[in-house]
Amino acid sequence: MQPKQRQRLDQTQRWAFSQLFGLARRNPFIISRWVLRWVLVGIVGGLLAALYWNILELLTHALQKLPPWGMLLIMPLAGLIVGLVIHFLGNPGEIGVIIDNIHFRSGRLDINKNPAMILASLVGISAGGSAGPEAPLVQVTGSFGTWVSDRLKLQGEDVRNMSLAGMAAGFTALFGAPLGGAVFALEILHHQYVVEYYQALMPAIVSSCASYLVFALITHLGIAPTWYFPQYSLESINDIWFAILFGMIGALAGWIFMGIFHGCDRLFARIPGPIYLRTALAGLGLGILAFSLPLTRYFGHDQLAVIVATSFSGVFLLGLALGKMAAIGVTVTGGWPGGFIIPLFFIGACLGKAIAVFIPGINPSLSMICVMAAINAAVTRTPISTTLLLSKLTNFAPLTPILFASLLGFFFAPKVPLITSQIKSQGNT
């Protein structure tokens, strides 16, 4: 029996190879066409992201010129505008809605939600909301991937792959890390499987590379590290033990953040009336927070650099971390569109630097980056991409401490994720 089985196996292999090479002979450019499609999604995604970023920068710089007390007026007004946009154009949703669409709508992202998402997020982020542009960018670039698949009359997994390629282009434009952005687009889709829809990995990477080149050429961002931390080199196994400790601290911070977030959600759920009432009240709360703790204003892209370069007391840093947690909760649950990845990095940097202040001899770069990794992995459930992103964003060469901290944050996170749409019902695709 064994020779016959071997013979049937050989025949099957020969048939498979003959079909493969026959397909290549009939259409030698079939692979190239797919690559060109992914590149197209990445190029347009990079262009859209660069346009969005430049408009956001102009608006932000204009509003930053207001006196400190001006934020008590401008932020409630911005909240009112955000609410009116959502009231008249529809609620664009958050990253959770995008994940739901990837799981349950065959990967189709609704391009009709883009006007509301773009307008509301530009107003909210430029006014000083503690939510970043990752959700708007991913919605816009991901929906373009869906639009391309519709024009090409694609079906099934091909549609999902194109949407994921667009999402990866958006993440990469923001973070300036093609591999990290591509993996993040897949890893954030599930709270447990780490990387799902692995067949979309190559489309995501190709699209990310194209997006990175276009975005960097236009904005000149993403080439150098985003934040310059003090130099660090891994020379002792003790640093790995410290990374594990910092990872546990970051995981605990993730629990605290999620508790504050859910508390804000319950508070705003009790406010009756139209959406613009809730967003305006959220703006008032954010204005008061920003007036009391100015570094809680905005999503942390520039403010994190201040934390790295400036000496603060440990008590102030702890208070700032708690204030930022509250600011993120008020922003997102109050109806202002945006994401919380970079704001979470800001919280981690505050806590990590506080550790270095309280315990002399601790390397501040190691403590800050490890806590940043752990809290983000705990909240977003993305340990692998968090490691890749932080290595690029901070120019922190040793991956091992970041990986250990990220894994600790991931495994010690609450059972139910903050982004509940990451829990996909078995059997649904």
Side-chain angles (χ1 to χ4, degrees):
M1 293 295 295
Q2 189 67 25
K4 293 182 179 179
Q5 288 179 347
R6 177 66 179 176
Q7 184 178 12
R8 283 198 297 270
L9 181 61
D10 290 342
Q11 290 175 347
T12 301
Q13 290 175 338
R14 285 196 295 271
W15 179 85
F17 280 115
S18 68
Q19 294 298 310
L20 177 63
F21 287 115
L23 180 64
R25 284 196 303 270
R26 290 191 299 273
N27 196 343
F29 299 107
I30 186 169
I31 296 178
S32 297
R33 284 208 307 270
W34 277 110
V35 172
L36 289 175
R37 291 166 181 172
W38 304 334
V39 169
L40 171 65
V41 170
I43 289 174
V44 176
L47 289 171
L48 293 172
L51 177 62
Y52 181 95
W53 184 267
N54 285 332
I55 295 173
L56 180 62
E57 287 278 281
L58 288 173
L59 292 173
T60 302
H61 290 157
L63 294 176
Q64 280 177 333
K65 296 177 181 179
L66 295 173
W69 56 265
M71 66 186 69
L72 295 174
L73 298 176
I74 194 65
M75 297 189 76
L77 177 60
L80 178 61
I81 295 173
V82 167
L84 289 172
V85 168
I86 294 173
H87 179 75
F88 288 106
L89 297 184
N91 193 339
E94 291 292 344
I95 191 69
V97 176
I98 296 173
I99 294 173
D100 266 339
N101 290 340
I102 293 295
H103 288 325
F104 304 121
R105 294 189 62 226
S106 300
R108 305 185 64 82
L109 303 184
D110 189 357
I111 202 168
N112 293 324
K113 292 185 176 182
N114 289 352
M117 177 65 87
I118 293 170
L119 292 175
S121 63
L122 282 174
V123 172
I125 296 171
S126 63
S130 286
E134 57 266 34
L137 287 178
V138 168
Q139 163 62 31
V140 172
T141 57
S143 63
F144 176 74
T146 302
W147 183 86
V148 170
S149 66
D150 288 341
R151 303 287 82 72
L152 297 174
K153 295 181 171 51
L154 302 180
Q155 301 292 330
E157 288 300 318
D158 291 335
V159 177
R160 182 180 282 119
N161 291 348
M162 293 294 280
S163 298
L164 288 172
M167 290 174 58
F171 279 125
T172 296
L174 176 63
F175 297 122
L179 183 57
V183 176
F184 197 95
L186 305 183
E187 196 175 19
I188 199 172
L189 298 177
H190 203 282
H191 77 296
Q192 185 177 5
Y193 296 156
V194 180
V195 174
E196 197 175 13
Y197 308 120
Y198 58 86
Q199 75 279 0
L201 184 58
M202 187 56 69
I205 291 175
V206 172
S207 177
S208 290
C209 289
S211 174
Y212 171 77
L213 286 174
V214 172
F215 188 82
L217 281 170
I218 295 174
T219 65
H220 304 290
L221 296 174
I223 301 171
T226 302
W227 305 299
Y228 289 90
F229 282 71
Q231 290 296 314
Y232 165 83
S233 60
L234 178 61
E235 297 177 352
S236 172
I237 190 64
N238 291 332
D239 284 359
I240 301 300
W241 295 113
F242 279 125
I244 293 173
L245 175 62
F246 301 148
M248 296 179 70
I249 293 173
L252 175 61
W255 279 79
I256 296 172
F257 167 75
M258 283 185 261
I260 292 174
F261 188 93
H262 289 307
C264 293
D265 194 26
R266 288 191 293 270
L267 178 63
F268 280 105
R270 294 177 179 177
I271 299 176
I275 180 67
Y276 48 81
L277 176 60
R278 186 163 76 248
T279 54
L281 289 174
L284 178 61
L286 291 171
I288 294 171
L289 265 173
F291 185 77
S292 306
L293 289 170
L295 285 174
T296 61
R297 194 181 182 196
Y298 299 110
F299 64 97
H301 184 270
D302 298 324
Q303 291 69 33
L304 198 153
V306 175
I307 298 299
V308 174
T310 309
S311 295
F312 295 107
S313 70
V315 174
F316 174 79
L317 289 167
L318 292 178
L320 184 59
L322 288 173
K324 190 65 173 179
M325 290 182 187
I328 299 170
V330 171
T331 301
V332 178
T333 65
W336 292 38
F340 40 73
I341 297 166
I342 292 180
L344 287 173
F345 286 157
F346 177 88
I347 295 171
C350 291
L351 295 174
K353 191 155 188 178
I355 293 171
V357 171
F358 288 129
I359 308 176
I362 295 292
N363 186 286
S365 294
L366 179 66
S367 59
M368 282 190 285
I369 293 172
C370 285
V371 180
M372 289 165 66
I375 187 173
N376 189 66
V379 175
T380 64
R381 309 300 177 98
T382 56
I384 297 175
S385 53
T386 294
T387 302
L388 297 173
L389 290 175
L390 280 177
S391 178
K392 167 61 176 68
L393 291 170
T394 64
N395 200 29
F396 194 86
L399 285 176
T400 307
I402 311 178
L403 180 59
F404 272 77
S406 295
L407 290 174
L408 263 294
F410 177 74
F411 288 122
F412 281 92
K415 183 177 181 180
V416 178
L418 182 68
I419 307 172
T420 55
S421 58
Q422 289 178 318
I423 303 176
K424 187 181 76 166
S425 301
Q426 297 299 317
N428 289 324
T429 57

